Amino acid sequence: NAGVTQTPKFQVLKTGQSMTLQCAQDMNHEYMSWYRQDPGMGLRLIHYSVGAGITDQGEVPNGYNVSRSTTEDFPLRLLSAAPSQTSVYFCASSYSFLGLAGHNEQFFGPGTRLTVL
Amino acid sequence: QQQVKQSPQSLIVQKGGISIINCAYENTAFDYFPWYQQFPGKGPALLIAIRPDVSEKKEGRFTISFNKSAKQFSLHIMDSQPGDSATYFCAASTGWGGGGNKLTFGTGTQLKVEL
């Protein structure tokens, strides 16, 4: 299994440009989510999905869109990039039911480092 | 509003020593408390997790201590090794098992274990 994969690894955008961060998982997980990681602020939830066709907002959703057309893929779209969106973005996935270990381990991808000039 | 407060921000420990990282939460509905470990350039990975109906959980050199009345939990790393040098995040969520996926993270602790 490849686990959770993210592309690209690095990206530089100009203010106002749009782009899509890709996320895919091959573990048949129902739950997928996007976090952003900023220095001194930990990871903050942007959007999440509990299954194909179902998405919802997290803590910091403004400026981002998501869709979930398949179980495997959960792309994050930046509509009009702003310098405040400079961050490292992580995608994560997990089962939605109680796992054998008694918890829902979230598996994180390697991240996309985004710089908006 | 930060719902999970983590301290210290950074920590230097000698090899073989004990590393202690503390977290405090506000939302009494939280019922799942994982710790994640992150190495530079990598995504976070689950280290150990605890439910509030137990006061301690140990896995190898890693122990979570949980104090429900004080709304605090901590990670203890015994016999700290240079390979433990990483950033550690505490987190919390509601809905043990299904639905317990919306994690609220602490701000992270950079641990450095010196020889």
Side-chain angles (χ1 to χ4, degrees):
Chain A
N1 286 350
V4 179
T5 58
Q6 292 183 239
T7 56
K9 283 187 168 50
F10 301 93
Q11 183 70 49
V12 179
L13 292 178
K14 294 181 179 178
T15 297
Q17 287 184 315
S18 63
M19 79 159 295
T20 300
L21 307 184
Q22 302 292 342
C23 174
Q25 52 92 10
D26 61 357
M27 296 174 281
N28 203 29
H29 286 163
E30 301 93 348
Y31 182 88
M32 296 185 75
S33 55
W34 277 100
Y35 294 86
R36 60 177 289 174
Q37 182 175 16
D38 302 291
M41 302 189 74
L43 289 92
R44 293 179 292 167
L45 182 64
I46 304 172
H47 285 286
Y48 65 98
S49 168
V50 298
I54 306 170
T55 64
D56 206 346
Q57 296 180 350
E59 181 185 351
V60 287
N62 292 341
Y64 307 95
N65 272 359
V66 293
S67 61
R68 183 98 178 267
S69 57
T70 67
T71 299
E72 295 78 20
D73 301 297
F74 190 44
L76 177 72
R77 282 183 289 277
L78 279 70
L79 308 173
S80 177
S84 61
Q85 294 179 304
T86 294
S87 186
V88 181
Y89 292 85
F90 289 100
C91 178
S93 74
S94 72
Y95 290 114
S96 292
F97 57 86
L98 192 64
L100 289 175
H103 58 77
N104 283 341
E105 176 177 356
Q106 285 202 42
F107 294 85
F108 282 79
T112 294
R113 184 175 293 274
L114 176 68
T115 301
V116 182
L117 302 176
Chain B
Q1 180 186 2
Q2 185 183 352
Q3 293 194 55
V4 179
K5 295 184 179 181
Q6 184 172 346
S7 64
Q9 188 175 352
S10 62
L11 181 62
I12 300 175
V13 174
Q14 296 299 309
K15 179 183 176 183
I18 302 174
S19 304
I20 301 174
I21 305 171
N22 300 300
C23 284
Y25 63 97
E26 300 169 2
N27 186 352
T28 55
F30 286 147
D31 61 0
Y32 173 57
F33 302 90
W35 284 88
Y36 280 81
Q37 180 187 54
Q38 184 181 32
F39 293 103
K42 305 291 186 183
L46 180 68
L47 187 62
I48 186 173
I50 197 168
R51 296 171 56 172
D53 54 351
V54 298
S55 60
E56 185 175 283
K57 182 175 181 181
K58 184 176 181 179
E59 290 184 1
R61 296 184 293 108
F62 301 91
T63 300
I64 299 179
S65 296
F66 187 83
N67 186 329
K68 188 174 182 178
S69 61
K71 294 187 287 186
Q72 294 175 347
F73 58 111
S74 60
L75 175 70
H76 291 65
I77 305 174
M78 311 300 288
D79 188 27
S80 298
Q81 300 297 312
D84 297 330
S85 298
T87 300
Y88 293 81
F89 292 96
C90 61
S93 71
T94 59
W96 176 256
N101 305 89
K102 290 173 61 179
L103 292 170
T104 298
F105 282 87
T107 52
T109 297
Q110 270 195 308
L111 171 65
K112 182 177 181 180
V113 181
E114 294 183 335
L115 294 170

